Amino acid sequence: MSDETATAMYRTRTDALTTDVGEGRPVVFAHGTLMDRTMFEPQLEALKDEYRAVAYDLRARTDRYAPEYDLWDLADDCAALLDGIGEDNAVIAGMSMGGFMGLRFALEYPERVDGLVLIDSMATPHPEEERAEYEALVEPYEDVLDPLPREIAAGSTGELFGQTTHEENPELVEAWVDRWATYPGRAVHHELNSWLGREDVTDRLSEIDVPVLIVHGEEDPSIAPEQAEPMVEELPDAEMALIPEAGHTSNLEGPEAANDAIRTFLDERF
């Protein structure tokens, strides 16, 4: 299981792991697989005039990527991060893997959650067939410290970006491929395996009694909007906003629509 020093890192090295802007109610952003905290630059810019907006790198993007860990460990990291920035509680906004973590953070630390923003995420596990495909993809890199081969990095773009982005904003896609091709193979192996075997938390969503906004790209190739929609019914207080012409990184591909949805949610509910 995880190295406790990884969690402690979020408490003691917070300034090195976060982008922290603005003042007010804290909103903490947790990224998805292969991404990093810079994916939330549009949201931090949009919120910093009225909120304390904080985006942080999960451990796969840090020097603590090597030990095995799971989503509950990442929830502990998030709690330590709140300690590090001096906040008792916050709105937790997570994209994909960050959303998987956010749901578990809300279950494990209910007193520290004001609300949730779930971006291109879901409560159910990935189907078995998809899990097997992901496992086969990253298994060869379990002990590889060299950077991820570029062809593997480039092959991931079909999962992360929607068709419109591929056609109209290929520069964004290529910029992320350049970044992914610098990651140690082992970091990506552990990152995917932190969530591949996750349990279904649908039957526990009724425990999360805080306002929740579900933001989802209409063109998400990894998690279809229909896979997120059941959370609207199962969560006590949830609403959903679809982002047109956006894929799995909908907040980055359709920043204006995503910012409007997130800002409206925060302004109206908090």
Side-chain angles (χ1 to χ4, degrees):
M1 198 47 69
S2 77
D3 180 355
E4 290 184 5
T5 58
T7 295
M9 168 185 67
Y10 286 94
R11 192 174 292 111
T12 58
R13 288 172 45 198
T14 310
D15 58 338
L17 302 169
T18 64
T19 302
D20 186 345
V21 299
E23 297 180 359
R25 180 182 295 276
V27 184
V28 173
F29 290 88
H31 62 79
T33 301
L34 292 181
M35 308 306 286
D36 62 30
R37 71 183 192 247
T38 66
M39 74 170 299
F40 297 114
E41 287 176 354
Q43 286 68 55
L44 270 57
E45 182 66 26
L47 297 178
K48 68 180 183 180
D49 57 335
E50 289 190 21
Y51 297 90
R52 183 183 187 184
V54 180
Y56 73 101
D57 285 335
L58 278 66
R59 65 172 75 176
R61 301 287 85 81
T62 75
D63 58 353
R64 297 293 182 177
Y65 64 80
E68 293 183 13
Y69 56 91
D70 63 18
L71 292 168
W72 298 98
D73 296 317
L74 295 182
D76 291 341
D77 293 350
C78 188
L81 178 83
L82 289 185
D83 294 343
I85 64 173
E87 298 286 359
D88 292 330
N89 44 284
V91 175
I92 305 297
M95 175 262 171
S96 192
M97 174 182 70
F100 306 155
M101 181 283 296
L103 288 171
R104 287 157 180 79
F105 182 85
L107 293 170
E108 189 72 10
Y109 299 95
E111 74 285 355
R112 306 197 74 171
V113 180
D114 293 331
L116 290 176
V117 179
L118 303 174
I119 303 168
D120 295 280
S121 198
M122 62 180 175
T124 55
H126 277 68
E128 187 63 37
E129 182 176 330
E130 291 183 23
R131 284 177 54 188
E133 292 175 358
Y134 283 127
E135 287 172 356
L137 183 66
V138 300
E139 192 275 333
Y141 302 102
E142 182 174 5
D143 296 312
V144 175
L145 298 181
D146 291 334
L148 200 66
R150 188 174 178 85
E151 61 269 21
I152 297 296
S156 301
T157 62
E159 299 294 321
L160 272 293
F161 299 101
Q163 182 177 349
T164 299
T165 299
H166 278 283
E167 294 174 354
E168 299 184 4
N169 194 3
E171 297 84 2
L172 176 67
V173 178
E174 282 303 306
W176 280 98
V177 172
D178 290 343
R179 186 165 298 196
W180 300 339
T182 69
Y183 297 166
R186 193 176 187 186
V188 177
H189 171 86
H190 286 317
E191 185 172 34
L192 263 74
N193 279 288
S194 71
W195 53 259
L196 272 180
R198 71 189 185 280
E199 70 277 48
D200 190 342
V201 294
T202 302
D203 62 352
R204 296 193 62 189
L205 294 183
S206 61
E207 300 174 34
I208 302 176
D209 195 13
V210 295
V212 179
L213 173 65
I214 298 166
V215 177
H216 217 95
E218 288 185 347
E219 299 179 4
D220 189 334
S222 296
I223 299 176
E226 300 79 53
Q227 292 173 279
E229 286 171 355
M231 293 192 293
V232 178
E233 300 300 324
E234 297 292 339
L235 289 160
D237 183 4
E239 58 189 277
M240 187 169 186
L242 291 175
I243 308 303
E245 301 184 333
H248 193 53
T249 57
S250 62
N251 65 290
L252 189 59
E253 298 175 68
E256 292 185 6
N259 288 346
D260 286 346
I262 294 169
R263 185 64 182 260
T264 298
F265 170 73
L266 293 173
D267 289 351
E268 291 181 351
R269 301 308 303 273
F270 301 101

